[in-house]
Amino acid sequence: MGSNGDLNANSQCLSSTGDLVLDKAVNQWMAWDKNPQTRKQMESLVREGHVVELRRRLCSRMTFGTAGLRAEMGAGFACINDLTVIQSTQGMYKYLAKYFPDLKTRGLVVGFDTRAQTSSGCTSERLARLTAAVMLCKDIPVYLFSTYVPTPFVPYAVMKYEAAAGVMITASHNRKEDNGYKVYWHNGAQISSPHDKEILHCIEENTEPWPESWNEHLVESSLLRRDPLEDVCRWYMEELNTICFHRELNAKSPLKFVHSSFHGVGHNYVQRAFQQFGFPPPIPVPEQKETDPDFSTVSCPNPEEGESVLELSLRLAEREEAHIVVATDPDADRLAVAERNGNFGWKVFTGNELAALLGWWMLFNWKEAHPDPADTETVYMLATTVSSKILKAFARIEGFHFEETLPGFKWIGKRIHELTKTGKEVIFSFEESIGFLCGNMVLDKDGVSTATVVAEMAAYLHTKNLSLNKQLINIYEIYGYHVSRTSYVLCSDPLTIHRIFSRLRNFGGPGDYPELCGDYCITHIRDVTTGYDSSQPDKKCVLPLSKNSQMVTFTFQNGVVATLRTSGTEPKIKYYSEFCAVPGERDISSLEEELRKVTTALVEEFLEPDKNNLLRRSV
């Protein structure tokens, strides 16, 4: 009891500064937290008088962003830890019990990745076991995976078992200090409004842990716990057949593939998926094959960063004379692809370029099976609004339907569910940040299935003496070149972000958006944060309002479309720009130069990185 006594003395010290709210939060934390390591962290912060840090950790709560709850691991209500995961699951239980009268037959799916932090004792597996314990102590069946799985396995299992919801403990490609709590609804899509707000409300009303919530051993003793690993793995691999079109050709292909799992969950599952498609398993990058929560061989665990973080994969591919590198991020829902470019090194495809290839491939094979052009009436492709408009160009010429959603795969998943219910078929969906879904067997991005689809597409093209890059050029020749630039600046200060976007909304006076950016004339502005769209007769956005994030899109007179938006998972302001040329336009260098100039003007004039102390992307 000695350390608690010291803590209470220190708390009184804090309260004498007048910070009664903080004092109450500290005492509440210490009364509820049973993890010795996070308690020790809190005691240390109080003892050393770190008031600013204590306020940051204790005086706010996590909110549902683009991909659920995501934050650094460690002590405090604003962090991911045992206590906040228990609180979140208690809120989930209360909401699900209210929403689903049959919750005790439906149950909950729980999965986890390989993240861990020694200093806080937080591992994804432990957090998953506590998530399960909260439900089990209320007699709710739980499908808890017995080992780490790719994120797409959780929504897949939710649909297969007709569960009420699913939780995946992951921070995907975020830095090693982070973890997250990703929630899926009964339809297999990530939760969206109003469920996210309602669950948060229930969390806030159920913050005190129930005694049994801490009993992680319930996962061994409860008869209501079931391990779905074997069934889900088998079903998933069998269902990959729906997007495999040339198994016999795959088995004969001379192409060799290298795979990196970026120290995450992907290795075993990608190996098995390749074999399901008739390929030998890809050559793994030995240094990155095993799980490692420190991500020790990469500067950041995000394959989207390109060649700099794919170095080990590319080196191995050169030694093995492999043609293609596929890299899944740590939770295997995203995919990066690189192709040997003759004697000129490697071509690392952007998300938009890979989407052009995958969209073409899925349509090509769909048409092979559906020769009647009238059948395209039921076919859809989807993309987030900040992604390339290449699928829109496909749809214009090929006659199928294309739709845009707000950023975040939760919107794509939700729309696929709605369309499927009305007899429509969504054959491809993507977001530019290397998130792809071929077919609709999962309602979330899926790096495992996409890796095998890329391999099959490359094997097929090889029989036609085509590389992926040559086919990409063919696609642009037919549908028009789509040149895009995507990057970001880092900004951890919410006030700076608010100031930047407030300035844009009042550029020429109150309520006046900018009419020029450098020398470039702006013809339309869409602001989904406020619901404004100057291109619409009523000036209202067609896309849903998104008040909790910042996103403004500019359409320029020269045809460039550019968007500035805040990330839902990281301290970034992202910017996206694209020049969509008409078919037949071949002066690519002038398109790229014009796009470069517009993008530079956009960043310098609207974000003002130097004035606002924004860190430019360094990788």
Side-chain angles (χ1 to χ4, degrees):
M1 189 68 192
S3 64
N4 248 353
D6 295 342
L7 181 75
N8 290 334
N10 280 313
S11 296
Q12 292 307 316
C13 218
L14 282 173
S15 103
S16 69
T17 68
D19 205 334
L20 296 172
V21 173
L22 180 58
D23 180 33
K24 182 183 175 186
V26 168
N27 285 324
Q28 201 168 61
W29 177 269
M30 294 309 298
W32 290 346
D33 185 22
K34 289 188 179 180
N35 177 325
Q37 281 145 290
T38 44
R39 284 179 68 87
K40 191 176 175 185
Q41 282 184 358
M42 192 61 69
E43 287 173 5
S44 174
L45 288 168
V46 172
R47 190 166 50 249
E48 293 166 23
H50 294 300
V51 176
V52 174
E53 181 64 8
L54 283 164
R55 200 176 287 128
R56 184 184 74 80
R57 288 171 177 252
L58 290 167
C59 294
S60 64
R61 294 196 69 84
M62 295 174 288
T63 57
F64 280 103
T66 309
L69 302 168
R70 204 174 280 186
E72 67 189 274
M73 290 179 273
F77 297 120
C79 302
I80 292 280
N81 49 64
D82 292 7
L83 178 56
T84 54
V85 162
I86 284 171
Q87 291 174 324
S88 300
T89 312
Q90 290 181 172
M92 275 270 293
Y93 165 74
K94 286 290 188 180
Y95 183 64
L96 294 176
K98 205 162 40 176
Y99 197 91
F100 294 100
D102 56 350
L103 180 60
K104 288 195 175 183
T105 55
R106 279 179 172 268
L108 182 83
V109 175
V110 183
F112 56 93
D113 69 8
T114 57
R115 285 179 178 258
Q117 187 182 63
T118 307
S119 60
S120 64
C122 291
T123 70
S124 290
E125 182 173 6
R126 176 174 165 78
L127 298 176
R129 287 166 66 90
L130 289 169
T131 300
V134 172
M135 290 291 175
L136 291 170
C137 80
K138 294 296 182 184
D139 297 326
I140 306 303
V142 175
Y143 300 93
L144 171 66
F145 285 95
S146 54
T147 188
Y148 55 80
V149 290
T151 287
F153 275 34
V154 170
Y156 184 76
V158 167
M159 290 193 291
K160 286 294 176 187
Y161 291 113
E162 298 183 348
V167 172
M168 177 69 184
I169 307 294
T170 181
S172 190
H173 58 283
N174 273 39
R175 62 195 191 127
K176 66 180 180 181
E177 290 82 8
D178 292 351
N179 214 328
Y181 186 95
K182 196 169 186 177
V183 180
Y184 292 90
W185 198 231
H186 70 96
N187 60 7
Q190 294 172 42
I191 58 160
S192 55
S193 188
H195 307 300
D196 50 359
K197 309 284 187 303
E198 293 293 332
I199 291 170
L200 269 179
H201 182 63
C202 289
I203 292 169
E204 285 158 7
E205 288 184 335
N206 294 276
T207 50
E208 184 169 353
W210 308 323
E212 279 295 289
S213 291
W214 285 97
N215 185 7
E216 65 167 306
H217 300 295
L218 276 175
V219 301
E220 274 91 39
S221 61
S222 173
L223 297 175
L224 291 171
R225 183 270 169 118
R226 181 173 162 190
D227 177 11
L229 182 68
E230 194 177 319
D231 283 345
V232 167
C233 232
R234 187 179 72 256
W235 295 335
Y236 176 92
M237 294 300 164
E238 286 172 359
E239 204 166 338
L240 283 179
N241 294 338
T242 61
I243 51 172
C244 176
F245 308 106
H246 304 278
R247 184 175 283 98
E248 287 182 17
L249 185 150
N250 298 343
K252 297 173 192 165
S253 179
L255 292 187
K256 290 167 81 174
F257 301 91
V258 160
H259 170 239
S260 170
S261 52
F262 265 61
H263 299 295
V265 306
H267 171 71
N268 293 335
Y269 303 99
V270 170
Q271 295 265 309
R272 194 163 160 184
F274 264 66
Q275 289 169 297
Q276 187 72 24
F277 263 54
F279 290 107
I283 304 160
V285 178
E287 302 93 330
Q288 297 173 338
K289 169 181 152 185
E290 305 301 332
T291 61
D292 174 10
D294 288 325
F295 306 112
S296 51
T297 66
V298 287
S299 54
C300 70
N302 186 359
E304 192 185 353
E305 296 291 353
E307 200 160 340
S308 61
V309 291
L310 294 172
E311 186 183 349
L312 288 174
S313 307
L314 301 180
R315 230 186 285 159
L316 175 64
E318 283 166 6
R319 287 198 305 272
E320 295 283 349
E321 297 186 342
H323 298 74
I324 308 279
V325 164
V326 290
T328 45
D329 71 340
D331 69 328
D333 65 349
R334 294 173 191 240
L335 182 78
V337 177
E339 179 182 60
R340 185 186 288 279
N341 195 11
N343 297 320
F344 304 102
W346 289 85
K347 161 73 175 173
V348 180
F349 294 94
T350 66
N352 286 332
E353 290 171 336
L354 205 45
L357 284 160
L358 288 164
W360 163 79
W361 177 247
M362 293 305 291
L363 182 64
F364 170 74
N365 286 288
W366 189 89
K367 283 164 70 177
E368 290 279 296
H370 301 82
D372 185 352
D375 288 348
T376 55
E377 259 306 302
T378 62
V379 172
Y380 279 72
M381 290 194 193
L382 308 177
T384 59
T385 188
V386 294
S387 302
S388 172
K389 312 301 178 199
I390 187 65
L391 300 186
K392 189 177 185 180
F394 287 4
R396 204 163 37 234
I397 290 173
E398 301 290 348
F400 66 86
H401 299 274
F402 167 73
E403 285 189 13
E404 283 187 347
T405 71
L406 285 173
F409 233 89
K410 67 180 180 182
W411 300 105
I412 287 177
K414 185 180 180 185
R415 187 62 183 139
I416 293 173
H417 177 69
E418 291 166 354
L419 288 166
T420 306
K421 278 200 305 188
T422 62
K424 306 296 191 290
E425 185 180 5
V426 182
I427 61 171
F428 179 65
S429 312
F430 89 102
E431 59 182 3
E432 57 72 40
S433 52
I434 61 172
F436 312 101
L437 176 59
C438 300
N440 55 21
M441 60 182 267
V442 182
L443 299 191
D444 203 2
K445 55 188 178 285
D446 184 353
V448 176
S449 62
T450 308
T452 57
V453 172
V454 166
E456 181 173 80
M457 174 170 55
Y460 175 85
L461 289 170
H462 186 72
T463 67
K464 308 294 182 188
N465 294 315
L466 287 168
S467 64
L468 292 174
N469 196 38
K470 281 180 184 170
Q471 179 57 20
L472 179 64
I473 293 165
N474 290 343
I475 290 166
Y476 286 151
E477 290 280 337
I478 297 166
Y479 300 102
Y481 277 86
H482 284 59
V483 184
S484 58
R485 295 175 76 93
T486 301
S487 195
Y488 58 82
V489 292
L490 293 167
C491 183
S492 301
D493 180 25
L495 288 175
T496 300
I497 290 171
H498 181 268
R499 189 170 64 246
I500 287 168
F501 283 90
S502 179
R503 174 174 169 261
L504 289 177
R505 295 182 181 113
N506 302 280
F507 206 79
D512 286 341
Y513 290 84
E515 296 176 356
L516 288 170
C517 180
D519 299 328
Y520 298 96
C521 184
I522 298 167
T523 54
H524 298 301
I525 288 179
R526 183 186 66 194
D527 185 346
V528 298
T529 309
T530 63
Y532 171 78
D533 188 342
S534 67
S535 70
Q536 297 298 315
D538 61 359
K539 302 290 188 263
K540 289 183 179 175
C541 265
V542 175
L543 286 173
L545 201 64
S546 185
K547 289 182 182 177
N548 295 330
S549 60
Q550 302 281 359
M551 189 169 91
V552 182
T553 299
F554 307 90
T555 301
F556 290 87
Q557 197 168 39
N558 62 5
V560 171
V561 178
T563 297
L564 297 173
R565 70 175 277 258
T566 48
S567 167
T569 58
E570 297 165 284
K572 292 176 179 176
I573 301 174
K574 295 185 170 184
Y575 53 92
Y576 313 78
S577 56
E578 184 173 41
F579 209 137
C580 307
V582 295
E585 170 66 74
R586 287 184 173 83
D587 189 359
I588 309 312
S589 57
S590 68
L591 290 176
E592 288 177 337
E593 179 59 18
E594 182 86 341
L595 184 66
R596 186 193 64 77
K597 287 178 180 175
V598 173
T599 308
T600 300
L602 183 85
V603 172
E604 297 304 324
E605 295 206 14
F606 290 172
L607 295 182
E608 300 180 303
D610 297 331
K611 179 181 173 183
N612 290 310
N613 296 315
L614 307 176
L615 286 174
R616 298 170 195 261
R617 178 181 180 181
S618 60
V619 186

